[in-house]
Amino acid sequence: MPTVSSEELAAAAGVNSAKLRKDFSYLGSYGTRGVGYDVEYLVYQISRELGLTQDWPVVIVGIGNLGAALANYGGFASRGFRVAALIDADPALAGKPVAGIPVRHSDDLEKIIQDNGVSIGVIATPAGAAQQVCDRLVAAGVTSILNFAPTVLSVPDGVDVRKVDLSIELQILAFHEQRKAGEEAAADGAVPATAARKQSAGKGPDGDMPAVMPA
Amino acid sequence: MPTVSSEELAAAAGVNSAKLRKDFSYLGSYGTRGVGYDVEYLVYQISRELGLTQDWPVVIVGIGNLGAALANYGGFASRGFRVAALIDADPALAGKPVAGIPVRHSDDLEKIIQDNGVSIGVIATPAGAAQQVCDRLVAAGVTSILNFAPTVLSVPDGVDVRKVDLSIELQILAFHEQRKAGEEAAADGAVPATAARKQSAGKGPDGDMPAVMPA
DNA sequence: GGATGTGAACAATTTCACAGCC
DNA sequence: GGCTGTGAAATTGTTCACATCC
């Protein structure tokens, strides 16, 4: 399939074709009127804009179950990420290979960052160690941090942090699940699934109040 | 701190106080004019709206590194999630405890779902097994699926799927990292960091084109 | 006096619809 | 004839500002 129309792409993505064309237009005029978009050319342009064509060395700090899962994750290489090193504070792990990469001791963290020109770090340590690891990464020159530890990290200006909370997505599913159940029960006086029910929210002892309610 | 004002909450969250008040107003009229919001009452109302006050039994299928990391993840219990069972296809794992919960063989998947009234399933298997596991979960009554496998799952209407791609967040960091670098280099003719550069995007052999460009 | 709750004003985003080009 | 690229219209989201209530 050498070319594709905005209509086809939009249908595949579940969005409006005008939106897709307008979004693409912000990247440049990469289509041909009457024909569509050249697939290979479009893929390259989008890849470049997203930074997929660059090589990004990253370090993963904290090689527990999650760190090991990340090290084994196949999706990184295809998006331009290269795991420059795995780092853990446990001396017993040092030298052992995980996903084919030997684990290094955290004493060498600064040297590893500098030798490899790493600007992105992944923190998969327990919560208690995360801020300290973060501080060392930043001091060594890392400017973007992906944090899996259940802590809010504080960093100086100019450093980006993104926090991944593995339970947030479950939370969202549970929210929709709750609404599904609510709709089924809507006939017998249950709270409707829409957010618009402003008037019914009296604070009295009204049955939907739990023991936790303040006096 | 028994009460809190929209102003204080907004400052803490980094948003406008009017937005916060308007958002809260969609849940109901839970504040007191001249006083603010009763913290404990507000926490309960938001928790209830999000489904945090319910008990959600979940199963985790695929107990590799990622499945084990999820089983050990502390954040689930506090948000109302209860790991009803860990399931894996490897007979060697069956009976072994992970995070204190014995792993069950996937032969028992349907029975486990039904005995525990599970409506939410987590898939942490390799990509090749994910669709098959998904089909079995759905057939057994699961209506929400959190998918960590790098595959797009197809499900019947009425079933929610959320896909977590661990490399997406890295991607976002790399995107911003690229822009940081671009801004530093902006003086010497590099592509500007803003998206608005429509006119310069000629298709000719213009130096920023790679070998992958179509003929 | 002080802070909510909310119409109205404003801003951003999405969609329409069609001129322009292949 | 077909499909992009984009002004203009429609829709959606955010902020202002103030009447209202504790």
Side-chain angles (χ1 to χ4, degrees):
Chain A
M1 193 173 191
T3 66
V4 65
S5 70
S6 62
E7 203 68 57
E8 292 168 302
L9 280 175
V15 300
N16 181 293
S17 68
K19 179 178 197 313
L20 195 138
R21 287 201 300 282
K22 183 149 278 190
D23 284 359
F24 281 4
S25 79
Y26 290 120
L27 304 179
S29 216
Y30 296 144
T32 308
R33 291 167 195 228
V35 177
Y37 298 89
D38 183 291
V39 172
E40 204 175 353
Y41 184 68
L42 184 63
V43 165
Y44 166 70
Q45 289 297 347
I46 293 175
S47 297
R48 187 176 51 80
E49 191 73 30
L50 294 178
L52 295 170
T53 56
Q54 284 189 41
D55 175 74
W56 295 105
V58 303
V59 295
I60 301 175
V61 187
I63 312 302
N65 279 314
L66 183 57
L70 291 168
N72 278 297
Y73 187 67
F76 288 159
S78 64
R79 290 169 189 262
F81 297 107
R82 181 167 49 79
V83 178
L86 306 177
I87 302 176
D88 200 283
D90 181 357
L93 273 179
K96 295 210 171 146
V98 170
I101 303 166
V103 176
R104 310 268 307 260
H105 190 265
S106 48
D107 284 350
D108 300 335
L109 187 145
E110 285 78 9
K111 180 165 166 43
I112 295 167
I113 301 290
Q114 278 141 27
D115 288 354
N116 292 278
V118 172
S119 58
I120 302 179
V122 179
I123 297 179
T125 64
Q131 182 64 57
Q132 199 185 334
V133 166
C134 173
D135 292 344
R136 287 181 63 187
L137 288 172
V138 170
V142 166
T143 50
S144 292
I145 289 177
L146 183 57
N147 177 32
F148 285 91
T151 327
V152 175
L153 296 176
S154 61
V155 291
D157 280 0
V159 177
D160 279 348
V161 178
R162 294 190 70 86
K163 185 170 184 297
V164 176
D165 181 336
L166 296 172
S167 68
I168 284 285
E169 296 287 325
L170 264 189
Q171 195 65 76
I172 295 169
L173 284 174
F175 179 73
H176 291 300
E177 196 66 33
Q178 174 175 246
R179 293 197 153 193
K180 287 182 201 168
E183 270 153 33
E184 283 159 22
D188 46 293
V191 172
T194 70
R197 56 191 174 76
K198 300 174 193 169
Q199 56 299 328
S200 68
K203 273 196 193 175
D206 57 8
D208 72 19
M209 281 308 306
V212 79
M213 184 181 92
Chain B
M1 194 173 191
T3 67
V4 65
S5 71
S6 62
E7 203 68 57
E8 291 168 301
L9 280 175
V15 298
N16 182 294
S17 68
K19 180 179 196 315
L20 195 137
R21 287 201 300 282
K22 183 149 278 192
D23 284 0
F24 281 5
S25 80
Y26 289 121
L27 304 177
S29 217
Y30 296 145
T32 306
R33 289 165 198 231
V35 178
Y37 297 91
D38 182 291
V39 172
E40 202 174 356
Y41 184 67
L42 184 63
V43 165
Y44 167 70
Q45 289 297 346
I46 293 175
S47 298
R48 186 175 53 79
E49 191 74 30
L50 293 178
L52 295 170
T53 54
Q54 283 189 42
D55 175 72
W56 295 104
V58 304
V59 294
I60 301 174
V61 187
I63 311 302
N65 279 315
L66 182 57
L70 291 168
N72 279 298
Y73 187 68
F76 288 159
S78 64
R79 291 167 188 264
F81 296 107
R82 181 167 48 80
V83 179
L86 305 177
I87 303 176
D88 200 283
D90 181 358
L93 272 180
K96 296 210 171 144
V98 170
I101 303 166
V103 176
R104 309 268 308 259
H105 190 267
S106 48
D107 284 351
D108 301 334
L109 187 144
E110 286 77 8
K111 181 168 164 42
I112 295 167
I113 301 290
Q114 278 142 27
D115 288 355
N116 292 277
V118 172
S119 58
I120 302 179
V122 178
I123 297 179
T125 64
Q131 182 64 57
Q132 199 184 335
V133 166
C134 173
D135 293 344
R136 287 181 64 188
L137 288 173
V138 170
V142 165
T143 50
S144 292
I145 289 176
L146 184 57
N147 177 33
F148 285 90
T151 328
V152 175
L153 297 175
S154 62
V155 292
D157 280 0
V159 176
D160 279 349
V161 177
R162 295 190 71 86
K163 184 171 185 299
V164 176
D165 182 335
L166 296 173
S167 68
I168 284 285
E169 297 287 325
L170 264 188
Q171 195 65 76
I172 295 169
L173 284 174
F175 179 72
H176 291 299
E177 195 67 32
Q178 172 175 250
R179 293 197 154 196
K180 285 183 205 168
E183 270 153 31
E184 283 158 22
D188 45 293
V191 172
T194 69
R197 52 189 177 77
K198 299 174 194 170
Q199 58 299 329
S200 68
K203 273 194 194 175
D206 57 9
D208 72 20
M209 282 308 307
V212 79
M213 187 181 91

